[in-house]
């Protein structure tokens, strides 16, 4: 039941996680975290990958399934995006295969959709979504640098939207007057809540953001509370937009880093959204579903 | 009629403009541009100011009226904000006076208002507004790092809203993945228009912004067009919010740097807003109105 079936690799821009995984999606052994594609590109993707593989004591015939930015233009093998709506079989059909050092490497494609003529894209999240959502229908958010909200219907990802929440937070914190007024990290729950309500209630984000400065200027927000308030503004604006697009009362799974997930759940509670933490190891579980789909297709 | 009446100083964060001005607000002589408060603080505000004054051959009794960030916490003399609604007489009443080297210096206060418990502030723009708007009522926008939309009613500034449009553009261009894909300056009219319509039509700015990346990724937007598209997204979002707050068909004066003013006028045309360039030297003309109000009060 827990025999190793394949090697799962979740390879993003800044980190790589690899594990030996069973058919059921359980990680039986984990390699130490490796370099993301930015740094691995310098050293060589093959060397980086096989260092991780060597740590796993995997059966010789186990294939390697790779998801994430490793399949992008700046990655190892560029795999064209599959197009929504797409289920696991579409991802497998669009995967790129390579034979390297006697093993089969399977690069999973990212996913694209369109909003009024504007494309939207993800790479890696599509795999996490299939790992987190076992039923045919679901709403799911994957918070982060580029937060993704996706809808699953009939077992396929019907569509999704990207919000540049995390990247905007970093740019504002590091390179604007708002950051100059801020001290420390985002850890003030009351200031976060105040930001969430303001960000959700104010239509223009570029206007709402300025209140992080003026509240501090007027002594109504401590410098230590500014990062939390700013985080709340951005997450509040994201959730308010997402709320308009999902059915009232629908449960939304949150799949991401634990602290950020907790922040989204808290923000959802303030805005009447039922956000609940999703399973861990969603990427490995998603790759297990794709591995199973490979078997069905082959 | 054109006798010199006072020395007008428009002193912001990054530059200082001084002129000898008539009662009617005409600049009779201009000093070379001086250092903004950030650099002038190192050298000394007094030396910086009197270098400019020396270039003007002003009558010995002419007072010096100063508007802008020079009256802020990081300036020379912190002048508390006047509160909206406020007319020229309120600004004069709140001004701070100092005698320096035998001249009277009058530091004009900034202005504040409140939006649902959140303060908003300006420093310098209040003076430009009174310089640009001679009638009792007007709508006006002063685009820039922190764009300001203000309403004048009964000769007083009733309220205003700040949008961090310019600063957000710089942060996105310089410090996010959107900037990494962009080449050159914002000079592509078609891409700008496309950005304006997307920014105005899409409720969530953090989502709309991502399209600057995906359109480039899919080859539907040239790298040289990304800056214009990005500028359009931000200005479109600002104008769409402002449009909700002003009477349909109202003319809005635009007071700012010529190229940016032209961009706002073009964006307004796309969104059904009647934006028209305002007068030049609005700061000097505004200071002339305040100078006149000083005479009435004294």
């Amino acid at each position: 039941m827990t025999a190793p079936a394949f090697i799962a690799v979740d390879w993003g821009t800044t980190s790589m996680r690899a594990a030996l995984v069973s058919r059921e999606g359980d990680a039986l052994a984990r390699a130490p975290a490796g370099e993301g594609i930015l740094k691995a590109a310098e050293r060589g993707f093959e060397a980086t990958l096989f260092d991780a593989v060597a740590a796993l004591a995997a059966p010789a015939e186990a294939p390697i399934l790779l998801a994430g930015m490793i399949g992008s233009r700046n990655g190892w093998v560029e795999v064209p995006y599959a197009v929504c709506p797409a289920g696991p079989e579409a991802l497998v059909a669009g995967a790129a295969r390579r034979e390297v050092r006697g093993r089969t490497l399977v690069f999973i494609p990212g996913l694209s959709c369109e909003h009024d003529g504007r494309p939207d894209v993800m790479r890696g999240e599509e795999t996490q979504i299939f790992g987190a959502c076992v039923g045919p229908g679901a709403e799911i958010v994957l918070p982060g640098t580029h937060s993704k909200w996706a809808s699953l219907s009939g077992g396929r990802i019907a569509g999704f939207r990207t919000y540049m929440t995390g990247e905007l937070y970093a740019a504002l914190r590091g390179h604007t007057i708002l950051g100059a007024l801020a001290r420390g990290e985002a850890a003030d729950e009351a200031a976060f809540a105040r930001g969430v309500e303001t960000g959700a209630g104010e239509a223009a984000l570029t206007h709402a953001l300025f209140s992080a400065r003026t509240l501090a200027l007027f002594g109504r927000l401590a410098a230590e509370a500014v990062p939390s308030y700013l985080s709340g503004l951005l997450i509040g604006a994201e959730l308010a937009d997402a709320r308009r697009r999902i059915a009232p009362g629908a449960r939304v799974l949150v799949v991401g880093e634990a602290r950020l997930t907790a922040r989204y759940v808290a923000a959802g509670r303030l805005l009447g959204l039922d956000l609940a933490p999703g399973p861990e190891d969603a990427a490995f579980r998603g790759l297990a579903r794709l591995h199973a789909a490979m078997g069905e297709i082959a």
Side-chain angles (χ1 to χ4, degrees), chain A:
Chain A
M1 294 292 279
T2 55
F6 72 100
I7 296 165
V9 182
D10 176 17
W11 205 339
T13 303
T14 57
S15 76
M16 185 260 265
R17 295 165 61 235
L20 185 62
V21 174
S22 72
R23 291 183 68 90
E24 294 74 26
D26 295 317
L28 308 175
R30 293 170 193 267
E35 303 284 19
I37 67 162
L38 292 181
K39 289 198 178 165
E42 296 167 19
R43 191 183 151 219
F45 294 119
E46 185 177 323
T48 303
L49 173 65
F50 279 90
D51 277 0
V53 169
L56 290 174
E61 73 284 3
I64 305 177
L65 272 65
L66 305 99
M69 293 300 282
I70 192 66
S72 71
R73 200 168 296 173
N74 300 318
W76 188 348
V77 174
E78 184 175 1
V79 193
Y81 293 100
V83 178
C84 283
E89 68 295 336
L91 294 180
V92 167
R97 287 157 196 254
R98 295 285 184 282
E99 299 298 320
V100 181
R101 299 194 191 178
R103 287 199 194 263
T104 301
L105 275 56
V106 183
F107 294 88
I108 305 299
L111 204 54
S112 73
C113 65
E114 294 264 334
H115 309 292
D116 300 327
R118 287 171 284 120
D120 208 336
V121 295
M122 56 170 57
R123 274 204 192 271
E125 292 91 349
E126 70 299 324
T127 300
Q128 292 179 273
I129 291 168
F130 287 121
C133 306
V134 292
E139 302 288 341
I140 181 167
V141 55
L142 303 103
T145 304
H146 296 165
S147 181
K148 311 281 182 185
W149 286 75
S151 295
L152 207 76
S153 173
R156 301 192 297 175
I157 299 172
F160 61 90
R161 291 176 91 82
T162 301
Y163 298 82
M164 294 183 64
T165 302
E167 188 167 17
L168 203 58
Y169 175 81
L172 290 166
R173 180 86 169 80
H175 305 285
T176 70
I177 199 168
L178 305 183
L181 285 162
R183 299 277 172 281
E185 292 311 308
D188 182 321
E189 286 182 25
F192 176 73
R194 191 172 175 187
V196 166
E197 277 161 4
T198 302
E202 177 59 57
L205 181 65
T206 57
H207 169 66
L209 289 171
F210 194 60
S211 66
R213 168 168 166 74
T214 57
L215 287 168
L217 192 65
F218 280 61
R220 301 194 210 160
L221 192 69
E224 293 72 20
V226 171
S228 296
Y229 181 74
L230 191 53
S231 171
L233 284 178
L234 292 165
I235 293 175
E238 175 186 328
L239 263 61
D241 191 67
R243 186 172 53 180
R244 282 195 289 274
R245 302 173 194 287
I246 59 177
R251 164 151 291 194
V252 181
L253 286 180
V254 189
V255 172
E257 180 265 318
R259 253 183 24 174
L260 194 54
T261 295
R263 222 181 283 172
Y264 270 68
V265 169
R269 200 172 299 128
L270 290 167
L271 301 179
L273 273 167
D274 180 16
L275 267 55
E280 294 187 0
D281 282 343
F284 297 159
R285 294 188 185 283
L287 285 170
R289 286 190 62 191
L290 298 175
H291 178 253
M294 282 168 58
E296 286 161 19
I297 288 173

